[in-house]
């Protein structure tokens, strides 16, 4: 027994349909589903890049010299960042302090990379 695929139709303007068809050809998508998958993947990558840039900017500008415990960092970051993805990314940038392993500080190599992460 095979399952039939369910399709959903979305109405778009004639202009949008033309642009979507051009985009489909440009990216080499054979089907509309492939085009949508490419667009979704591209958007997700762009979104991650934007999050990393925002987090690096906050950490390098506001907290570059700061050293604090994980709990203190969590409080500081929740005041400056808005989403759980941003906070998780920020915590990845922190590293244990050389003087006290229970204290975390900003990885200065990331700040030297001019927020490109």
């Amino acid at each position: 027994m095979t399952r039939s695929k369910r399709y959903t139709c979305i109405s778009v303007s004639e202009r949008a349909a033309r642009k979507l068809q051009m985009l489909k050809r440009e990216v080499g998508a054979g089907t509309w589903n492939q085009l949508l998958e490419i667009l979704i993947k591209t958007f997700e990558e762009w979104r991650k890049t934007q999050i990393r840039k925002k987090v690096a900017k906050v950490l390098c500008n506001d907290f570059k010299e700061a050293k604090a415990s994980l709990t203190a960092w969590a409080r500081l970051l929740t005041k400056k960042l808005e989403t759980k993805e941003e906070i998780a990314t920020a915590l990845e940038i922190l590293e244990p302090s050389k003087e006290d392993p229970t204290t975390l500080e900003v990885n200065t190599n990331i700040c030297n990379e001019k927020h490109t992460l």
Side-chain angles (χ1 to χ4, degrees), residues 23-82:
L23 183 60
K24 185 178 160 192
R25 279 191 300 271
E26 283 180 27
V27 299
T31 66
W32 291 109
N33 284 341
Q34 288 175 339
L35 175 63
L36 291 173
E37 289 296 324
I38 291 168
L39 291 173
I40 290 167
K41 183 179 176 185
T42 302
F43 173 76
E44 288 172 348
E45 289 170 1
W46 174 83
R47 186 169 173 257
K48 286 178 188 175
T49 301
Q50 294 305 308
I51 288 171
R52 288 192 305 266
K53 284 181 180 181
K54 179 180 179 182
V55 166
K57 187 175 180 184
V58 165
L59 287 177
C60 296
N61 291 344
D62 299 342
F63 303 117
K64 187 173 183 178
E65 304 297 325
K67 295 179 184 179
S69 68
L70 184 57
T71 306
W73 272 113
R75 278 194 300 265
L76 288 169
L77 295 174
T78 55
K79 292 178 183 176
K80 291 282 187 175
L81 303 173
E82 296 150 7

Side-chain angles (χ1 to χ4, degrees), residues 49 52-53 56 110-117:
T49 301
R52 288 192 305 266
K53 284 181 180 181
I110 289 170
C111 293
N112 296 337
E113 293 173 7
K114 296 185 180 178
H115 316 299
T116 56
L117 290 178

